[in-house]
Amino acid sequence: MRISRFGALTATVAASALVLSACSAPADQPSEVVEGSSVNVAWNQAFYTYNSNTSYGNATANANIVYMTSSAFNYYNNVPELVKDESFGTYELVTEDPQTVQYTINEGVQWSDGVPVDEADMLLAWVANSGVLNTPEFDPNEFTNPETGEFTEDYPTDVVYFDGAIGAGLENVTETPEIGDREITLVYDTPFVDWELAFGVGLPAHVVAQRALGIEDAQEAKDALVEAVQTNDAEALAALSNVWNTDWNFTELPTGDDANLLVVNGPYQISNFVADQFITLTANPNYVGDNAPQIEEITVRFIADPLAAVQALQNGDVDVIQPQATADVLTALESIDGITVNTGVGGTYEHLDLQFDQSKSGHFNDPLVREAFLKTIPRQQIVDTLIVPLNPDAEVRNSQLFVPGAEGYDDSVASNGMAERFGDVDIEGAAALLAEAGVENPEVCILYASNNPRRVNQFALIQQSANQAGFNVTDCGSETWGGLLGTPGAYDASLFGWQSTSLGVTNASANFRTGGINNLNFYSNEEVDALLTELDTALDPARQIEIQIELDGLLMADNYGLTIFQFPEVTAFSDRVTGVNPGPLSPTIFWNIWDWTPTEAASE
């Protein structure tokens, strides 16, 4: 076994876009696929939707597959630094006042069914992820199933509601963009600091329109979509939004009339999918970019138990794993020959969020009850028991916005109150607050991944501690926890990890702004919203840090929740594949999937 360490997440990271858990440059010429080559990868959660931009689909397990089957204007390497993919398209800042950005997709870029990727696809991405044309005041939470997190059959068909990445920047482009031949021009109402991270092509416009509007011809379908957006045709947009929101939610291989859900524009395409077992990607013959893969077939196998993933690696059932790290995992890996192991600190952090509205019990509407519960969370015990055996230097994380070691972290910790108020468990203080609130034995049902051993252990430690103060902590754990996040009435608190996807400072909006796509606990604070708006346009790095420190303090004053620890990370791979160089940002091990090279064994 060869062991190496990669460094902690770079200290330049302050706040990042988030999803639910040696640099190699792209080749100058497309690689050739090694015929017959295949590699199996283990991942701890099953894929369940191809649209990872919805509140339902925003999870790493989905984003991994989307990344490998999609092309983009840029991506992060493992330094991490932003890399432009000019084999897909280009973009430029045309003017700074007003901030105007033009995107152009290269001629010849096409979807896997041969249809060109063009301005219609970009216009769809804008309307879906800006929310500008959504029906005002519509509340989708009234039509969300608390058992599954998906929209119910009662969801109205006459409203326009794209459940996109609202809060990620495009909501600042309120005028319908001008389009040309494979071009779109975005004009921001106010300058947006992270404009390079705000836009990309998502679902194929022709397929969305074919399914929503009943148009068979691809070009006619795209033309109809463009007209609907440009004329704000509410009837057509309602149908388009409903299809965009829900049709790409699938847990097995779509066939028949649904086969067009598999149309993609990246290096790989989905070729097989068995529910709760695996999803297989095959090299896309219609891909024309620089990031062409060398491995013909990648199969991602869903293995929740980290020790089971290690066993699968040892048995040769999988070739690459990045399981949730535990002391037992590292011990087990030490006994396996012919593998390489990388360890370090990743970009994911564990946290406990409280529901501010539409919770299962409603008790956390009272700030005294929120504060009382947070006083019982044994964060130090969790770190000492579960993380220190992997990383002796591990510490409790005490900021919602800053990564430990980043500029601003120490100053924020000194002022935000998390360490001071909730550094130690205070059972007596919690009980006193419950008495002051006049609440006896309040129920708190916690949502977490019930098939994740570390989360099971954390839940048990929290339950034992909180119950001593008079809480009744109950189990809302589920193997399908990801789809339940943000579902009204499903739980009272959630325990999971946010995986950083970028180095952008403005993306805190997605988590904490009223209505943000990652605002899964219905938190709302006008002062926070105002600061986030200022952060969107703050060009001075010093002011950016000041704003984030202020935000951190406001979140703790509201008893928002608690961060617990930065994830220790372990990646292991067999001698059947080379080129695996994990990075700290999502999609971690998959960021350079085109550089993975099969050895002779992978082609046998």
Side-chain angles (χ1 to χ4, degrees):
M1 178 180 71
R2 300 180 296 277
I3 298 181
S4 61
R5 294 186 63 83
F6 52 89
L9 186 62
T10 175
T12 61
V13 179
S16 310
L18 303 164
V19 291
L20 295 349
S21 133
C23 171
S24 178
D28 293 332
Q29 298 295 329
S31 305
E32 290 188 6
V33 172
V34 177
E35 186 176 353
S37 60
S38 65
V39 166
N40 292 283
V41 186
W43 197 257
N44 63 7
Q45 184 184 0
F47 173 88
Y48 59 91
T49 176
Y50 191 79
N51 194 349
S52 59
N53 276 339
T54 66
S55 57
Y56 174 73
N58 183 29
T60 304
N62 302 319
N64 290 340
I65 305 304
V66 173
Y67 180 88
M68 291 187 282
T69 56
S70 299
S71 294
F73 291 102
N74 53 41
Y75 61 89
Y76 276 98
N77 62 22
N78 64 340
V79 172
E81 59 188 6
L82 194 65
V83 178
K84 293 181 179 180
D85 180 6
E86 295 189 347
S87 69
F88 173 71
T90 58
Y91 57 91
E92 63 174 327
L93 182 63
V94 179
T95 63
E96 293 185 352
D97 187 17
Q99 188 179 67
T100 305
V101 186
Q102 185 178 76
Y103 292 84
T104 304
I105 294 174
N106 293 346
E107 186 173 2
V109 174
Q110 57 188 320
W111 296 98
S112 54
D113 61 356
V115 174
V117 181
D118 61 19
E119 65 275 10
D121 302 297
M122 292 190 285
L123 190 63
L124 172 62
W126 168 78
V127 73
N129 294 297
S130 70
V132 170
L133 300 187
N134 283 357
T135 300
E137 307 302 325
F138 172 67
D139 184 5
N141 293 316
E142 298 178 13
F143 307 97
T144 303
N145 186 334
E147 300 296 326
T148 66
E150 295 187 86
F151 292 139
T152 66
E153 293 182 358
D154 296 329
Y155 185 92
T157 58
D158 59 348
V159 298
V160 180
Y161 180 73
F162 287 94
D163 183 25
I166 313 302
L170 290 183
E171 70 279 0
N172 296 317
V173 182
T174 58
E175 293 296 323
T176 301
E178 293 186 4
I179 59 174
D181 183 18
R182 295 175 285 104
E183 291 183 349
I184 191 169
T185 301
L186 307 180
V187 181
Y188 287 80
D189 298 344
T190 55
F192 184 66
V193 173
D194 288 326
W195 61 268
E196 278 195 273
L197 307 176
F199 185 73
V201 173
L203 300 181
H206 67 288
V207 177
V208 173
Q210 285 171 329
R211 297 178 67 88
L213 306 178
I215 301 173
E216 184 175 348
D217 181 79
Q219 187 58 53
E220 291 179 9
K222 288 196 287 188
D223 292 343
L225 182 146
V226 169
E227 182 179 2
V229 174
Q230 292 180 332
T231 63
N232 196 4
D233 182 341
E235 182 178 358
L237 288 171
L240 290 164
S241 65
N242 190 47
V243 165
W244 191 90
N245 291 338
T246 61
D247 278 25
W248 273 261
N249 298 345
F250 56 85
T251 55
E252 58 185 4
L253 189 70
T255 58
D257 292 340
D258 290 331
N260 58 2
L261 296 174
L262 300 175
V263 172
V264 297
N265 63 17
Y268 284 98
Q269 59 187 355
I270 299 171
S271 57
N272 198 7
F273 185 13
V274 176
D276 298 321
Q277 295 185 38
F278 66 84
I279 187 167
T280 297
L281 312 179
T282 304
N284 176 10
N286 280 336
Y287 176 75
V288 296
D290 286 346
N291 297 331
Q294 301 174 65
I295 298 172
E296 184 173 30
E297 186 176 273
I298 302 285
T299 295
V300 179
R301 300 191 178 278
F302 312 134
I303 305 177
D305 187 330
L307 285 175
V310 173
Q311 186 64 55
L313 179 66
Q314 184 171 19
N315 294 344
D317 296 328
V318 298
D319 306 298
V320 183
I321 66 173
Q322 193 176 70
Q324 193 166 93
T326 67
D328 290 341
V329 164
L330 285 181
T331 299
L333 288 172
E334 290 174 356
S335 65
I336 304 176
D337 295 326
I339 66 170
T340 298
V341 178
N342 291 338
T343 63
V345 179
T348 303
Y349 67 93
E350 191 82 343
H351 62 107
L352 179 79
D353 289 351
L354 309 185
Q355 296 303 98
F356 276 69
D357 193 15
Q358 304 190 58
S359 66
K360 187 177 179 69
S361 70
H363 290 303
F364 285 147
N365 291 335
D366 188 333
L368 292 176
V369 180
R370 295 199 299 272
E371 183 178 4
F373 188 68
L374 296 184
K375 282 181 174 291
T376 71
I377 306 304
R379 294 191 298 154
Q380 190 64 58
Q381 182 184 11
I382 290 171
V383 170
D384 289 343
T385 304
L386 303 176
I387 308 303
V388 168
L390 291 162
N391 177 12
D393 299 324
E395 297 179 352
V396 172
R397 171 169 163 160
N398 282 306
S399 171
Q400 295 282 0
L401 280 84
F402 293 95
V403 173
E407 184 180 1
Y409 177 80
D410 290 341
D411 290 339
S412 192
V413 171
S415 63
N416 67 27
M418 188 184 296
E420 180 180 355
R421 296 170 58 204
F422 306 113
D424 297 316
V425 172
D426 183 4
I427 300 300
E428 291 184 2
L433 285 171
L434 287 182
E436 182 181 349
V439 179
E440 293 185 6
N441 200 35
E443 179 181 2
V444 175
C445 200
I446 301 179
L447 175 67
Y448 65 96
S450 60
N451 55 354
N452 183 311
R454 191 161 77 194
R455 296 259 164 72
V456 171
N457 288 332
Q458 288 183 78
F459 170 77
L461 291 172
I462 293 171
Q463 182 182 50
Q464 181 182 28
S465 180
N467 285 357
Q468 293 178 43
F471 285 96
N472 175 27
V473 175
T474 56
D475 193 338
C476 272
S478 170
E479 293 187 8
T480 58
W481 62 275
L484 292 172
L485 283 170
T487 300
Y491 57 96
D492 300 300
S494 56
L495 180 68
F496 66 103
W498 276 129
Q499 169 71 57
S500 299
T501 65
S502 81
L503 304 184
V505 298
T506 63
N507 293 307
S509 287
N511 280 34
F512 307 120
R513 185 186 295 276
T514 303
I517 185 175
N518 289 345
N519 188 341
L520 305 171
N521 55 346
F522 307 100
Y523 174 73
S524 182
N525 180 314
E526 292 183 358
E527 191 173 355
V528 168
D529 288 348
L531 282 171
L532 289 170
T533 297
E534 182 184 353
L535 184 61
D536 284 350
T537 61
L539 299 178
D540 179 8
R543 179 55 185 154
Q544 292 173 358
I545 291 176
E546 290 174 356
I547 292 171
Q548 292 172 86
I549 290 174
E550 291 182 61
L551 288 167
D552 230 356
L554 288 171
L555 292 169
M556 289 318 304
D558 286 338
N559 300 313
Y560 176 91
L562 294 174
T563 52
I564 305 177
F565 56 82
Q566 206 70 27
F567 271 39
E569 200 161 273
V570 58
T571 302
F573 55 95
S574 75
D575 57 9
R576 295 184 74 249
V577 59
T578 62
V580 180
N581 293 303
L585 302 178
S586 176
T588 62
I589 55 175
F590 299 109
W591 77 267
N592 68 333
I593 190 68
W594 49 85
D595 287 331
W596 289 18
T597 305
T599 63
E600 184 177 347
S603 303
E604 294 176 351

